[in-house]
């Protein structure tokens, strides 16, 4: 497996980690077995991004819609979050990875929120990789909370309504301080974005794979990056304009 050329490396990758339940079902195991197995793929994705020089990795761990899943599965996922924070944080910090949880964290019980806040504070100064974990996150929620912040700024007299343009509005969306999203990956064979990073996806390249998340490794990530490198990113320009630089 060879590294892609630096110019072909996406700065910011987002992944919908889909297929844990189906992976477990194929092995006649409970869905929670698949979620636990997916932790290995998280490590693979992190290591692959570091190896390739990716600046930011955003993982969709728990959507706002996932609360509708069976209660025992939601409980198991919460327990998995706690265990992962306790077991993985030392290593992530040693690797100089900054960890940030993105979403409406108020829905989680206080003990778990405290662990998240400790992890974010502890790794805040790390710069090797920006690892964003989207929990109780939804793209529509993100846009609505940005709109609320904009309206509050107007109410305080800090800005006028006519001052709000895409650049200013985007300042209030999640991950505004990171490079724009370049590559969106979804595993598990589904072809939808599932309310993930709707604002940030505007000019991202979309990559879908049948690989179930527990089977997604660094070679799988390399395939996605190689596919990204073959695409011509025009941003509204013609192919000839892109060729001329």
């Amino acid at each position: 497996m060879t590294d892609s050329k630096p110019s072909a490396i996406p700065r910011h990758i987002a992944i919908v980690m889909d297929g844990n339940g189906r992976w477990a079902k194929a092995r006649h195991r409970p869905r929670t077995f698949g979620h636990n197995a997916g932790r290995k793929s998280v490590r693979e994705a992190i290591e692959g991004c570091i190896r390739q020089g990716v600046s930011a990795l955003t993982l969709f761990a728990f959507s706002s819609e996932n609360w509708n899943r069976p209660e025992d599965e939601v409980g198991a996922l919460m327990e998995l979050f706690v265990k992962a924070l306790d077991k993985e944080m030392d290593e992530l910090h040693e690797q100089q990875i900054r960890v940030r949880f993105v979403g409406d964290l108020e829905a989680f019980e206080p003990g778990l929120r405290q662990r998240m806040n400790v992890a974010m504070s502890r790794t805040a100064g790390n710069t090797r990789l920006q690892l964003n974990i989207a929990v109780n996150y939804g793209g529509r929620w993100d846009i609505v909370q940005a709109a609320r912040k904009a309206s509050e700024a107007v109410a305080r007299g800090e800005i006028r309504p006519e001052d709000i343009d895409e650049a200013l509005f985007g300042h209030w969306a999640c991950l505004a301080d990171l490079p724009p999203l370049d590559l969106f990956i979804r595993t598990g064979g589904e072809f939808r974005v599932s309310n993930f990073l709707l604002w940030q996806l505007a000019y991202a390249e979309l990559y879908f794979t049948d690989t179930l998340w527990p089977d997604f490794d660094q070679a799988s990530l390399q395939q996605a990056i190689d596919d990204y490198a073959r695409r011509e990113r025009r941003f509204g320009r013609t192919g000839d304009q892109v060729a001329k630089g």
Side-chain angles (χ1 to χ4, degrees), residues 144-160:
V144 168
Q145 65 88 29
R148 286 175 177 167
K149 290 178 180 178
S151 65
E152 290 167 358
V154 171
R156 292 192 297 267
E158 297 172 358
I159 60 173
R160 300 170 301 169

Side-chain angles (χ1 to χ4, degrees), residues 4-145:
S4 299
K5 296 179 181 179
S7 61
I9 300 298
R11 295 165 297 172
H12 186 175
I13 296 175
I15 305 178
V16 175
M17 306 178 292
D18 195 18
N20 290 334
R22 283 170 285 158
W23 185 90
K25 184 177 180 180
R27 289 157 178 77
H28 307 289
R29 302 296 295 271
R31 292 175 60 86
T32 52
F33 181 75
H35 293 308
N36 193 59
R39 289 172 57 186
K40 175 179 67 66
S41 296
V42 171
R43 289 193 292 270
E44 286 280 303
I46 291 172
E47 291 171 5
C49 285
I50 290 174
R51 181 171 177 268
Q52 293 286 352
V54 174
S55 299
L57 172 63
T58 301
L59 301 176
F60 204 8
F62 191 84
S63 75
S64 52
E65 290 81 12
N66 285 155
W67 293 108
N68 297 320
R69 292 191 174 189
E71 186 176 346
D72 58 343
E73 182 177 351
V74 173
L77 284 169
M78 295 302 105
E79 184 177 351
L80 183 61
F81 286 157
V82 172
K83 288 182 178 179
L85 283 171
D86 291 342
K87 291 183 178 180
E88 309 289 348
M89 202 49 56
D90 287 343
E91 182 178 351
L92 292 173
H93 186 46
E94 289 173 3
Q95 292 186 50
Q96 285 296 298
I97 296 170
R98 181 187 180 188
V99 177
R100 179 160 39 174
F101 294 92
V102 180
D104 185 3
L105 305 186
E106 293 301 315
F108 297 106
E109 60 93 16
L112 180 53
R113 285 206 311 273
Q114 182 181 16
R115 281 181 166 89
M116 292 178 182
N117 288 326
V118 168
M120 288 190 286
S121 296
R122 183 182 180 193
T123 63
N126 296 339
T127 58
R128 193 178 187 190
L129 175 69
Q130 307 290 313
L131 175 61
N132 312 295
I133 303 173
V135 287
N136 195 31
Y137 174 90
R140 290 176 176 177
W141 165 87
D142 193 358
I143 294 171
V144 168
Q145 65 88 29

